[in-house]
Structure formats: C-alpha cells, structure tokens
Amino acid sequence: MVRKNFQFTSESVSEGHPDKVCDRISDAIVDTFLSADAQSRVAVETLTTTNRIVLAGEVRGPDTITSEKLEEVARNAVKAIGYEQEGFHWKNAEVSVHVHQQSADIAQGVDALGNKDEGAGDQGIMFGYACQDTPVLMPAPIYYSHKILEAMAAARHAGTQTGFGPDSKSQVTLQYENGKPVCATSVVVSTQHGVDLSQEDVRELVRPFVEDVLPEGWMCNEQDFYVNPTGKFVIGGPDGDAGLTGRKIIVDTYGGAAPHGGGAFSGKDPTKVDRSAAYASRYLAKNVVAAGLADRCSIQLSYAIGVSKPLSVYVDTYGTGKADDADIERVICEVMDLSPRGIREHLQLSRPIYERTAAYGHFGRTPDSEGGFSWEKTDLVEPLQSALG
C-alpha cells in the first residue's frame, strides 16, 4: 500500500557549487562544439580546485575548436557564474586541457553506416518521472529547493543583494498528507557570504527568499529554519572544496523521489543516451501525467552500445493509472521513436542548449524559443489520449 502521510526531503546546489561549476564548463564545451557542427561528439569532464581548472575527455568536431578555445570557454563560464575571488578567479585560474579525439572503437558502434542506424553511445538504464505535486509536474521538495537558490542567484547577479557569494546549498523537507505536500517542516540554506556579515545577518538576508518561494502558510517553524548551521561560510566554491562534473545527478533530476539510472548528463552530446534517453523518459512521463492517464508515472528505458532500439521499456504508474501500464508502454513506443536518432530529432537536441541546464535542475523548466528544455513540452497529450481511447 502506498503511504499517504510522510515527510520527504530533497536538496539543491547553486551554480557556484564546485560540482556545478564543473557541470557548467563541461556543458559550455558541448554547446561550443554543437554550435560549430551539430554532428559533433563530446564527452568532456571538468575538475576544479583552488585556482585550477582541468579539462579531460574525448571529442570529434571541427579542428577550429582548439585547446586555446576550450580554455576561453572555461574562463567565460566561470566569469558568468561570478567568481572573482582570490582562491578562484575566472581570469587568474590555471587551465589545463587534456582533450583528445574520440575512440575509433566507440565511433564505429555509434555512427550510422550502410543499413545500420545510429546506435546508442553506451549501454545503460535511464528513468523519467512526473507527478502532480507542482504545476510543472515535478516533486515538490526538489522544485522548491531549486527555486530558493535560483531566486538568490538572480538577486546576486542583479546587484540587488550584495551579501551573497556564488556558492550555496538548500534543503527542503515537506509534510505530505493524503499524498499531497501541505507545508515545510524544515528548511536549510547554506550560502557563501561577505566576511563582514554575521550568521544572523545572513539568516535575515536569506529569509525573504524562502518565504517568497514557498506557498503561503508553508514556512516551517523558526527553530527548524537553518541558515549556515556551521556559523561561517566565507571561503567557498572550488577554493573550499574540489568540484567534478557529474556528481550531482540527484540534484539534476528528481531529488531522490524517483529512480535514477546512475549516468550523469553534463559534458555529453545528445548521442549519449545517458542524457538524451533520460530527457525522453521525462518527456514521456510528463505527457502521460499531463494527459490525465496517471497521477504519477515512472518510465525506464534501457540501451546497449551500438544498438539503435531500446532493449526494454517499463512503465509504473504506482496504481494511479487510468489505463493499464502495459498499454501505456505499448503506446509510448507508437507516439515516439525511441532510437537515439529518433529521440534527438524529435526533441531537436543537436543544438547548443545545454549550458543553461547545468544548474537548478534539468527538469521542471520552461521550454524556450531557442529549443532549450524541449523535453518539458506537453505536445504528446492528444496523441496519447487518442491512442488509448
């Protein structure tokens, strides 16, 4: 039996968190290659620490994208986040580039040749999820965790809030009653701040952002509102803690409210099903819920490297489905081609749209005019409804 009354917690981290700095640099590199050639292949990881940025990985793309260009891209990404600190500065950090050509063995499995369609860039399992917690059909704890940090970052960039540094984290615990979120039982926010601010100063700077983001009446009790619990957070970002691409996969997805296949997204071009199939499974799950076919929906896809069709498709509506799960499985394969090429073309993923995904979640975002977050559209509602009668 599904529990109706419980507490659930999710966390988020800001664009200035060390791991998110790395995600942004890696995705900026993906965008750079796709801008030059939509057929580029990219798998680039980033490591950051005190005034040092290391790039490593495999690519296939235009020779005009040199090591010097990749260094420039990395510096610009750090500058956009706002790091101009003694221990981590976009201009002064040492950048090392260790990026080489994609393996020919991988390329022969992925490329379309003769009668062979384009294959998956790797084996793996990918999950998508949607529920009715929020208007964007995302679990509420991760949704509000993201929104708090996003609002703080917007104020920092606009100059309306000068006390915050780029590095911050949030954590929201919500009370569910009868399966629906009703209030926050605790909120944690840790943010890098100016050296002249006390813990109480920072607490009062953070408070309005939390209160504005949470629905009216949802704010937790005062004793359960934690801001910089250690008391001081001046040294932050990669100067305080090393960062690495792909270490925040639960922050990137559903905050632990749904399964995750384990693969990271950032730094990978859309032939990598870790990224594209995770987007497709979210797209399908969101459309299933938006179509009124279920209150909650989880979809798993699996692939083998070099093979074009998914090995399996699994749907779980947690007993909330208005149609049989097996029928939904059949229909989603009818309304969308789930081969890597089919996903990429349906969602138009071979575009430079990835740097914007690197912070505040890949899901629950608003599709934009340049093609970003196309997997958040609900344009399959009518085809799904028609197919299931």
Side-chain angles (χ1 to χ4, degrees):
M1 182 178 294
V2 177
R3 290 183 64 188
K4 297 292 186 180
N5 302 314
F6 57 92
Q7 293 178 2
F8 195 83
T9 305
S10 294
E11 70 157 347
S12 179
V13 297
S14 73
E15 64 201 63
H17 184 280
D19 295 331
K20 282 291 148 199
V21 173
C22 295
D23 285 346
R24 181 161 185 167
I25 293 170
S26 292
D27 276 337
I29 290 170
V30 172
D31 284 354
T32 299
F33 274 94
L34 292 178
S35 293
D37 181 356
Q39 301 305 312
S40 293
R41 301 288 188 262
V42 186
V44 172
E45 313 291 341
T46 303
L47 166 71
T48 57
T49 185
T50 301
N51 265 337
R52 184 180 292 271
I53 301 167
V54 181
L55 309 178
E58 306 79 44
V59 298
R60 188 174 73 198
D63 293 337
T64 53
I65 302 178
T66 61
S67 293
E68 291 74 19
K69 177 62 176 178
L70 296 183
E71 177 179 339
E72 177 189 351
V73 170
R75 292 190 187 280
N76 287 340
V78 174
K79 182 179 181 181
I81 293 168
Y83 272 113
E84 296 184 344
Q85 300 171 3
E86 182 179 353
F88 195 70
H89 196 297
W90 66 270
K91 197 174 195 177
N92 302 330
E94 180 180 338
V95 180
S96 302
V97 180
H98 306 277
V99 176
H100 59 81
Q101 289 295 305
Q102 183 188 50
S103 160
D105 291 346
I106 293 176
Q108 72 177 355
V110 176
D111 292 345
L113 296 170
N115 294 324
K116 175 186 174 296
D117 194 8
E118 177 184 300
D122 201 352
Q123 70 176 46
I125 56 174
M126 298 83 207
F127 287 91
Y129 181 74
C131 65
Q132 294 185 330
D133 279 9
T134 59
V136 294
L137 305 184
M138 283 289 287
I142 188 67
Y143 175 80
Y144 292 118
S145 294
H146 285 324
K147 289 300 181 183
I148 290 167
L149 298 185
E150 197 171 10
M152 290 170 58
R156 177 175 61 85
H157 283 298
T160 57
Q161 182 49 259
T162 58
F164 296 147
D167 191 1
S168 59
K169 303 177 76 170
S170 64
Q171 184 172 287
V172 175
T173 302
L174 297 184
Q175 178 68 44
Y176 282 72
E177 294 180 2
N178 295 316
K180 297 185 181 300
V182 296
C183 67
T185 60
S186 69
V187 175
V188 184
V189 178
S190 295
T191 182
Q192 188 181 16
H193 59 85
V195 68
D196 56 332
L197 295 177
S198 68
Q199 183 183 23
E200 188 57 33
D201 291 335
V202 178
R203 181 186 183 89
E204 294 312 308
L205 291 178
V206 168
R207 185 188 300 277
F209 292 96
V210 177
E211 292 177 340
D212 288 348
V213 164
L214 292 177
E216 186 176 356
W218 278 35
M219 185 62 178
C220 63
N221 294 327
E222 189 66 15
Q223 65 268 24
D224 298 311
F225 177 42
Y226 302 93
V227 176
N228 286 9
T230 62
K232 187 178 180 181
F233 187 2
V234 174
I235 300 172
D239 187 30
D241 190 13
L244 191 66
T245 302
R247 286 204 299 200
K248 289 293 178 285
I249 58 177
I250 300 302
V251 170
D252 285 344
T253 54
Y254 308 104
H260 192 294
F265 303 156
S266 291
K268 298 174 182 177
D269 73 78
T271 67
K272 279 70 170 175
V273 285
D274 274 345
R275 178 166 229 156
S276 56
Y279 290 171
S281 55
R282 160 63 179 175
Y283 173 62
L284 291 167
K286 183 175 184 179
N287 275 270
V288 167
V289 174
L293 301 176
D295 296 335
R296 296 171 61 199
C297 181
S298 178
I299 295 177
Q300 184 205 55
L301 305 175
S302 71
Y303 292 84
I305 187 168
V307 179
S308 62
K309 295 296 183 181
L311 305 185
S312 65
V313 178
Y314 172 75
V315 170
D316 186 357
T317 59
Y318 305 91
T320 70
K322 311 304 187 292
D324 187 78
D325 289 356
D327 289 334
I328 297 176
E329 287 173 359
R330 171 182 54 80
V331 166
I332 62 175
C333 294
E334 294 173 0
V335 300
M336 185 175 181
D337 178 357
L338 293 174
S339 68
R341 182 200 298 273
I343 292 170
R344 199 175 70 251
E345 292 179 352
H346 188 111
L347 297 176
Q348 296 183 284
L349 297 180
S350 296
R351 294 186 281 186
I353 56 175
Y354 297 106
E355 186 176 359
R356 69 198 71 174
T357 69
Y360 314 118
H362 292 244
F363 307 130
R365 308 286 289 274
T366 302
D368 60 47
S369 59
E370 297 175 345
F373 304 104
S374 59
W375 49 93
E376 290 297 311
K377 293 181 179 180
T378 52
D379 51 2
L380 286 184
V381 165
E382 289 187 8
L384 287 167
Q385 290 172 335
S386 296
L388 285 166

